Amino acid sequence: DVEMDVEEKSMENLDPQEALCLVLQKSMQHDGLARGLREVVKALDRKVAHLCVLSKSCDEPAYVKLVQALCKQHNIPLLSAPDSKALGEWCGLCKINEEGEAENVVGCSSAAVINWGEDSKAREVLMKTIKEQKN
């Protein structure tokens, strides 16, 4: 019970990047995460994605335009990740060593949430951030 209180208090002070990381991990645990261009474009085109994340370090302009256009066309929120390695780590494209640190991280230029998993404080923080960006 004490652990839960501590966890709830730390959740209240989440910044949007931490919330995004937690949402992506929760989605991955529930098999609801599309990773990479092919999976993301399919999810966006079929209108099954709830949220899309694009890496700021993606250097292929046609790729960026495609993802942005599909998100805009289907009214799907688009967020950005600091770089491909960070997004890859958040999406589980790495190995975790004994110390709990990520190693052999594979870069990921985009990801899409298809299934949120269970409701969480991180999702609420993220949705609030998305609403603020629209206004």
Side-chain angles (χ1 to χ4, degrees):
D1 200 30
V2 174
E3 290 177 20
M4 192 171 173
D5 292 339
V6 170
E7 194 173 298
E8 284 177 13
K9 286 179 184 174
S10 66
M11 286 288 190
E12 290 176 17
N13 300 328
L14 276 179
D15 72 358
Q17 290 292 347
E18 291 173 339
L20 177 60
C21 176
L22 292 171
V23 165
L24 290 174
Q25 289 173 354
K26 183 70 69 181
S27 176
M28 183 181 61
Q29 292 168 358
H30 290 270
D31 198 32
L33 188 63
R35 303 175 287 199
L37 177 64
R38 183 184 174 101
E39 289 182 28
V40 168
V41 168
K42 280 200 288 189
L44 293 174
D45 201 35
R46 292 177 183 160
K47 301 178 191 171
V48 294
H50 300 293
L51 169 74
C52 185
V53 185
L54 185 63
S55 169
K56 288 180 182 176
S57 65
C58 182
D59 56 355
E60 185 63 46
Y63 179 15
V64 174
K65 278 184 182 177
L66 174 65
V67 172
Q68 288 174 339
L70 284 171
C71 285
K72 189 173 182 180
Q73 180 182 358
H74 301 305
N75 202 21
I76 296 168
L78 177 64
L79 297 176
S80 59
D83 62 31
S84 297
K85 291 289 185 185
L87 186 56
E89 185 177 335
W90 296 347
C91 291
L93 297 174
C94 61
K95 291 186 179 177
I96 307 296
N97 64 15
E98 292 87 31
E99 290 90 42
E101 297 173 7
E103 55 184 30
N104 300 337
V105 180
V106 176
C108 180
S109 51
S110 65
V113 175
I114 298 168
N115 178 5
W116 291 107
E118 53 205 49
D119 279 341
S120 66
K121 185 70 177 170
R123 179 179 168 204
E124 291 173 23
V125 169
L126 204 56
M127 296 312 289
K128 185 179 174 186
T129 303
I130 291 168
K131 285 180 184 172
E132 288 172 358
Q133 283 180 355
K134 284 185 178 180
N135 295 337

